[in-house]
Amino acid sequence: MTQFSDAYIERLDKETEEILASEEQGFLNQSISYFQQHKNEFMYLEAGAFSELGVDGISFEVDDVFETYEVLLGLKLQKKFQASIKEYLQTTLQSEEARFSLMFNGDDGLWDLNFGLNYVEGFKEELTIAEAYQLVYTYLKNLVEAVKSKQS
């Protein structure tokens, strides 16, 4: 968990985006099933490790309709990388049902990216929140490296 030792963590209400609590590191030791039991909440985390990848913060929640664990973030990659990003997502998310949303936001120059963590290799229901964020980190690191290596 040292990778997220500098993490800033909030739990928020999905409907109002009102902060319910700022959390300590210990919150990350809970099972991700916490969000199955608290579907009205989502978690927001900022950490230096993600900043290095061009991600300010990551939201994590359970999708109300599909019951999947969803990851939502803004990714700082240039617009010209769209085809490479889409190709990476399509080839690495493991399922026919795997969904993702990718849209370039010209106002802030970020890719708004949402994807189901359930479809990332290594996912299992027994993950702790820290392990889920580690899986997200590894997936995003590989995505950024793959995209940038195609452009060089």
Side-chain angles (χ1 to χ4, degrees):
M1 192 148 41
T2 55
Q3 195 159 28
F4 305 122
S5 59
D6 65 341
Y8 171 75
I9 306 163
E10 291 179 341
R11 282 186 305 107
L12 301 100
D13 183 276
K14 278 188 194 179
E15 200 132 324
T16 64
E17 296 196 5
E18 185 178 316
I19 297 173
L20 301 173
S22 291
E23 295 291 348
E24 300 295 321
Q25 292 290 313
F27 183 75
L28 299 175
N29 296 325
Q30 291 194 60
S31 168
I32 57 173
S33 64
Y34 173 89
F35 295 100
Q36 289 286 357
Q37 292 138 20
H38 300 88
K39 289 186 178 155
N40 63 313
E41 295 182 16
F42 71 96
M43 181 181 146
Y44 176 78
L45 180 141
E46 290 178 2
F50 286 115
S51 295
E52 293 168 18
L53 299 177
V55 175
D56 289 336
I58 296 182
S59 294
F60 184 77
E61 65 182 41
V62 168
D63 182 281
D64 296 331
V65 176
F66 298 104
E67 298 285 316
T68 53
Y69 293 97
E70 295 294 312
V71 178
L72 304 88
L73 60 115
L75 181 61
K76 289 179 193 157
L77 283 175
Q78 292 172 309
K79 189 173 184 178
K80 68 181 181 181
F81 293 126
Q82 178 174 2
S84 298
I85 297 169
K86 275 190 173 176
E87 179 186 337
Y88 185 85
L89 293 166
Q90 289 167 339
T91 57
T92 58
L93 293 174
Q94 307 193 322
S95 171
E96 292 299 314
E97 304 96 56
R99 296 171 321 283
F100 65 86
S101 168
L102 180 68
M103 193 164 58
F104 191 75
N105 184 331
D107 294 339
D108 53 16
L110 293 176
W111 285 102
D112 293 330
L113 171 61
N114 305 352
F115 63 91
L117 189 62
N118 300 56
Y119 307 113
V120 173
E121 185 177 354
F123 173 83
K124 51 188 189 286
E125 290 283 340
E126 299 78 32
L127 292 174
T128 64
I129 297 170
E131 291 168 333
Y133 270 90
Q134 180 60 52
L135 189 59
V136 170
Y137 172 81
T138 302
Y139 186 75
L140 292 175
K141 184 174 190 289
N142 292 340
L143 180 151
V144 170
E145 287 173 358
V147 166
K148 287 186 174 177
S149 72
K150 283 192 174 205
Q151 302 302 319
S152 52

